[in-house]
Amino acid sequence: MRNPWPMFGVLAVTAFLCMSFSPSTVWGLVLFVIVVLAAWIILPMKYDDWIAGKINPYIQEYKEDHDAEKLKIGLDKWQRWAITKNSRSVMKINRFSLLMEQGRFEEARRVTEELKACAKTAVEKMNYHLVMTEYAEKIGDEQLAEEHRQLSDSLKANLGKKVESCGGPADAKESRKAFLLWLSFSFFLLAGGILCFAVRSDGAIKELGAGAVVASLFSLPVVLGWLIIWIVRAVKEKTR
């Protein structure tokens, strides 16, 4: 873990809850939060899979008989059930493909504008540029197709770099940043713990201060580890 400060928020909330409520209430709140987070992550994914299972038979049937009207009926039937952002995007992309095959380019262009308006993340923007590339190629505008192809490739490359930087080992610059973040985190906990002892000599504040001091001591090995990694990586990069 390179940045400990998000963990500080968890520690602060935990300390507040422990000081304000009984242990059984705290554990109940923790369980409730875990359930809500799990539902927030898992339920949309399961719902998207369910919607995909409903429209995939229409798509497979269209590939066999090329009955555009039957596919349109299937998409219209399940359109109102597309309540998640991903399922609505899938519906739009399938409708776009159908319109393109029918040569209804003006309607297809309106669908691309809807996709553009909804595109917030890098993946969604990349999908929009891919759709626009297909549209431009169909209408014979090679310049427009090349512009969107380059934008899509650029977004794809940036996503690849982000994944690689998150999953790969830290270089000297990143190690230095992690060291400074952990050092400031450890110092803040130690100073806060000492301040709690100075304000109160007994009670919950004292217990909170003791916990902060202990946490700062436990973070020191991590600080030392990042310092060593920073020095080693910096030396290796200088000798290359």
Side-chain angles (χ1 to χ4, degrees):
M1 186 177 183
R2 300 179 186 180
N3 186 2
W5 281 105
M7 185 171 57
F8 175 76
V10 176
L11 292 174
V13 171
T14 303
F16 171 78
L17 291 175
C18 291
M19 292 174 61
S20 304
F21 304 100
S22 64
S24 59
T25 303
V26 172
W27 280 111
L29 288 171
V30 170
L31 181 61
F32 174 75
V33 171
I34 292 173
V35 170
V36 170
L37 286 176
W40 181 61
I41 295 171
I42 296 173
L43 288 182
M45 295 172 58
K46 293 296 183 182
Y47 189 85
D48 290 340
D49 291 342
W50 178 74
I51 285 289
K54 295 299 181 182
I55 65 174
N56 278 340
Y58 293 97
I59 296 172
Q60 294 300 324
E61 191 173 353
Y62 175 76
K63 289 180 180 179
E64 295 174 2
D65 57 22
H66 296 282
D67 189 340
E69 187 60 29
K70 191 181 294 184
L71 176 58
K72 181 180 182 301
I73 291 172
L75 293 176
D76 290 341
K77 177 182 177 181
W78 292 102
Q79 179 69 49
R80 61 194 178 100
W81 295 100
I83 59 176
T84 64
K85 186 176 182 180
N86 187 59
S87 62
R88 288 195 298 268
S89 177
V90 169
M91 286 289 187
K92 287 184 175 70
I93 291 173
N94 280 298
R95 196 174 296 279
F96 167 82
S97 299
L98 177 60
L99 292 171
M100 290 296 290
E101 288 197 25
Q102 294 177 319
R104 297 158 64 181
F105 299 126
E106 290 186 8
E107 294 177 60
R109 183 57 188 266
R110 286 198 290 269
V111 175
T112 65
E113 293 301 318
E114 292 176 9
L115 288 169
K116 181 181 180 181
C118 297
K120 304 301 180 184
T121 66
V123 173
E124 291 167 350
K125 291 176 182 177
M126 185 176 67
N127 289 335
Y128 160 72
H129 290 303
L130 287 172
V131 165
M132 277 301 299
T133 301
E134 181 183 349
Y135 170 81
E137 288 175 345
K138 285 285 188 179
I139 64 174
D141 192 338
E142 189 55 40
Q143 182 179 354
L144 181 63
E146 184 60 27
E147 289 177 4
H148 284 282
R149 190 179 297 113
Q150 290 178 2
L151 290 169
S152 175
D153 291 343
S154 175
L155 286 168
K156 185 177 180 180
N158 290 335
L159 284 172
K161 289 179 182 178
K162 287 182 179 179
V163 172
E164 185 178 348
S165 64
C166 291
D171 57 20
K173 183 179 179 180
E174 292 168 342
S175 301
R176 176 179 175 274
K177 182 180 179 180
F179 163 70
L180 293 174
L181 286 170
W182 273 96
L183 181 64
S184 62
F185 177 70
S186 180
F187 177 78
F188 182 83
L189 287 177
L190 181 61
I194 294 173
L195 182 62
C196 288
F197 277 110
V199 172
R200 283 286 184 89
S201 59
D202 57 0
I205 299 295
K206 181 180 178 181
E207 293 179 4
L208 180 62
V213 171
V214 171
S216 71
L217 294 176
F218 275 113
S219 66
L220 285 177
V222 184
V223 175
L224 181 60
W226 278 115
L227 175 62
I228 294 172
I229 294 172
W230 172 29
I231 294 172
V232 170
R233 297 280 160 78
V235 171
K236 284 185 177 181
E237 289 181 8
K238 284 184 179 180
T239 55
R240 285 178 184 175

